[in-house]
Each structure stands twice: as C-alpha cells, then as structure tokens.
Amino acid sequence: MNRNIKKTVYRILEQDKLAREDDWYLIQQVLIELLPCNSGTAFGQVLQGMKIKGISFEAITRCRRKFMEENPQLKVQNVEKARREEEENYYLEYMRR
C-alpha cells in the first residue's frame, strides 16, 4: 500500500465536506492528487497507474472509515440517519417474509 494514501485521505477529509459524504468523490480527489492524470486519461491507464503506485479503492475507503471513527464530530448526520433507516427497512422487510 502506498504510504501517502492515509495522509492524502485525511487531508482531503479535513478540508472537503463532500468527500466525507461521497466515497467516489473522495476516490476521485485522491487519484487526482496521487496520479499524474487528467480528465482525458483512459480508465485502464488510471487502473494501471493505481497498480504501479500501490493504490487501491479499498485502502482509500478504509482510511475514510478510520478517519470518521477517530473524528465522530465530522460525521454527516443525514447520511448516517439515512443509512440506519435503510438498514431498519431491510430488517423489517426480511422479517415480513
């Protein structure tokens, strides 16, 4: 794993509220910073660059989860509430069957 991932993810999460809400946006911001690519770069080339630099989607999201665990005051309440409601609805639907 690339050692710069954690520092980069933490810095982005501290500065950008949208990155705390959206994993894909966070991944995009990390890749823009760590890989020399632009909007015209083919997805295959981005994936190859990730492999070479030791960057993975899982590492980025894992760092986000750890950051949010260490900084609960930065959690977005609406997202957490929606996730809990969705989980409750899932269990209720499961119990009905």
Side-chain angles (χ1 to χ4, degrees), residues 23-94:
D23 282 345
W24 289 109
Y25 178 77
L26 174 62
I27 291 169
Q28 175 188 0
Q29 295 304 312
V30 171
L31 292 179
I32 287 171
E33 191 151 324
L34 293 179
L35 291 178
C37 59
N38 57 30
S39 61
T41 305
F43 187 65
Q45 290 177 328
V46 172
L47 290 177
Q48 188 66 25
M50 288 175 66
K51 182 179 178 183
I52 291 169
K53 296 259 186 175
I55 302 169
S56 70
F57 296 123
E58 294 84 13
I60 295 169
T61 57
R62 189 179 318 115
C63 287
R64 183 193 59 80
R65 287 190 302 271
K66 186 171 182 178
F67 176 84
M68 297 310 270
E69 186 179 297
E70 294 172 357
N71 301 290
Q73 72 277 9
L74 295 177
K75 277 188 180 177
V76 180
Q77 297 302 322
N78 294 339
V79 173
E80 185 67 24
K81 183 179 177 185
R83 185 194 61 77
R84 285 186 183 153
E85 288 175 0
E86 184 177 328
E87 189 174 315
E88 285 177 18
N89 290 337
Y90 172 79
Y91 285 120
L92 290 173
E93 184 67 28
Y94 181 77

Side-chain angles (χ1 to χ4, degrees), residues 11-28:
R11 188 170 28 73
I12 290 171
L13 288 171
E14 287 173 356
Q15 297 173 355
D16 196 344
K17 182 180 178 184
L18 182 58
R20 290 181 226 134
E21 297 174 9
D22 188 0
D23 282 345
W24 289 109
Y25 178 77
L26 174 62
I27 291 169
Q28 175 188 0

